[in-house]
Amino acid sequence: MLKRTIEISRQAAHLTTRHKQLQLKREGEIVGSVPCEDLALVLVDHPGTTYTHNALIALLDANAALVICGKDHLPKGVLFPLSEHLEIVWRIDEQTSASKPMQKRLWKQLIQAKIRAQAANLTAGSVPHKKLLNYAKEVKADDTTNREAVAARLYWSSWLVNCETPDSVDHFRRDRDGDAPNNFLNYGYAILRAAIARSLVSAGLLPAIGIHHRNRSNAFCLADDLIEPLRPLVDARARELYFAGHTDLDQESKQVLLDLLTETVTTGDQSGPLMVAINRMTNSLVQCYQGKRKDLEIPVPCISADTEACGS
């Protein structure tokens, strides 16, 4: 079953529960009700929202993540359950015992997939597209030659070329504090990061123990590793919004980015929603830690320069 994501942003609401249903109330009246077990993520972007303790417990019991946004409308924090996975101690031991060669091999796979996904966002057959595919082939274990950074410079300089009018180039600089469409990228990445962190905890892994990223003050190093090949999915939606004339992170643009979690992608020989594919990627990581497989199952877009349409 595909779990749902809901957003509270236009009006303040009071979240409570009754008979395992998350209820949204305004002025004492119920305006919405969803079974807690159907929820994967609840995003709150209104400062007047209130919660009962039981509502928070019900969300945690249902393995749902609660994402809280700040004044800039970007996620500031995530509440998700401490894993009750039956094998959590073994999983953590396997994770922390992962060998350096394994970690270097997995990082190579993630970066190769990221560069290929970036190439898929560019015009097929163009010079930047061909160069990115070559860069992906050149990635070494642990990306010691830093193909990721080389590819990023080329990718972002080509990213805002409108495929329909390729002569119109808008020079773009990726900057978290920059103008649109940077705001769309920030928001989309944050949502995706929260979804990945939720999946990791559900699998009994520690999000703070990364494959490549290491930072004492970062509780989501592993999520920051796994998000890399999925960032271009956000990029594609952010660019669509920008080309459609959107510059503000308003209700419509946020919903488009939030809906990314239900976008159909391919993982191995299967296709389905991104939220489900993230769980498959996480489970493949667990199997790598256990020595049962060597390669990650990394989601890719259903339609790109390098993949066929889903279901074809």
Side-chain angles (χ1 to χ4, degrees):
M1 179 186 68
L2 174 61
K3 295 212 169 188
R4 299 173 56 184
T5 62
I6 62 173
E7 179 186 12
I8 302 168
S9 60
R10 292 184 178 179
Q11 292 179 278
H14 177 65
L15 302 186
T16 186
T17 53
R18 181 176 175 80
H19 302 312
K20 297 184 179 181
Q21 299 265 331
L22 180 69
Q23 295 183 337
L24 279 68
K25 292 184 177 181
R26 292 192 176 99
E27 298 181 355
E29 298 292 328
I30 298 175
V31 296
S33 182
V34 184
C36 291
E37 65 180 2
D38 290 351
L39 292 170
L41 187 147
V42 177
L43 186 141
V44 180
D45 189 21
H46 196 291
T49 303
T50 57
Y51 321 78
T52 65
H53 183 76
N54 285 340
L56 299 179
I57 294 299
L59 289 173
L60 295 176
D61 285 342
N63 198 30
L66 179 71
V67 180
I68 308 295
C69 294
K71 294 180 180 179
D72 57 1
H73 306 293
L74 295 176
K76 290 293 184 183
V78 183
L79 176 68
F80 51 71
L82 294 175
S83 177
E84 295 183 0
H85 198 285
L86 296 178
E87 300 178 354
I88 185 171
V89 176
W90 295 342
R91 290 282 170 88
I92 293 175
D93 181 62
E94 291 161 353
Q95 180 184 3
T96 55
S97 300
S99 67
K100 291 296 183 182
M102 176 195 294
Q103 294 180 50
K104 292 179 179 180
R105 184 180 70 248
L106 294 178
W107 184 242
K108 174 183 177 179
Q109 293 175 26
L110 290 167
I111 296 307
Q112 284 183 314
K114 177 182 181 179
I115 297 174
R116 287 195 295 265
Q118 289 174 329
N121 277 345
L122 304 183
T123 303
S126 65
V127 173
H129 174 261
K130 292 178 179 178
K131 284 186 175 181
L132 286 178
L133 292 180
N134 285 331
Y135 290 154
K137 295 176 183 177
E138 295 171 356
V139 177
K140 299 183 181 300
D142 205 33
D143 191 22
T144 53
T145 57
N146 206 15
R147 293 295 91 182
E148 179 187 18
V150 174
R153 285 193 292 270
L154 176 60
Y155 172 67
W156 288 120
S157 67
S158 309
W159 179 63
L160 277 188
V161 175
N162 191 325
C163 295
E164 297 179 358
T165 55
D167 291 334
S168 63
V169 180
D170 189 343
H171 296 285
F172 174 77
R173 181 169 179 263
R174 174 64 183 131
D175 181 356
R176 282 187 55 86
D177 301 318
D179 297 331
N182 280 289
N183 51 346
F184 300 145
L185 297 171
N186 295 342
Y187 187 83
Y189 293 158
I191 294 301
L192 196 54
R193 188 179 190 235
I196 294 171
R198 169 190 173 275
S199 179
L200 291 171
V201 171
S202 298
L205 299 174
L206 290 177
I209 307 299
I211 296 169
H212 179 81
H213 287 91
R214 293 175 180 83
N215 189 321
R216 289 185 299 177
S217 61
N218 183 3
F220 301 101
C221 287
L222 188 54
D224 289 339
D225 288 328
L226 296 188
I227 196 177
E228 294 298 349
L230 305 184
R231 288 182 186 272
L233 293 172
V234 175
D235 303 345
R237 291 218 168 190
R239 184 172 59 185
E240 288 174 4
L241 284 167
Y242 187 66
F243 283 160
H246 295 272
T247 56
D248 296 328
L249 192 60
D250 54 18
Q251 177 68 26
E252 182 180 353
S253 59
K254 286 189 292 184
Q255 189 60 53
V256 169
L257 293 165
L258 189 61
D259 286 345
L260 174 65
L261 296 177
T262 63
E263 178 174 318
T264 302
V265 296
T266 59
T267 312
D269 59 354
Q270 297 186 28
S271 62
L274 178 58
M275 182 73 79
V276 176
I278 287 173
N279 291 334
R280 289 195 66 189
M281 179 169 62
T282 298
N283 290 334
S284 72
L285 175 60
V286 170
Q287 292 177 326
C288 288
Y289 285 150
Q290 293 173 335
K292 296 179 180 179
R293 62 182 301 152
K294 293 185 177 181
D295 298 327
L296 294 168
E297 289 194 76
I298 301 174
V300 298
C302 279
I303 301 177
S304 74
D306 307 297
T307 60
E308 296 180 351
C310 288
S312 61

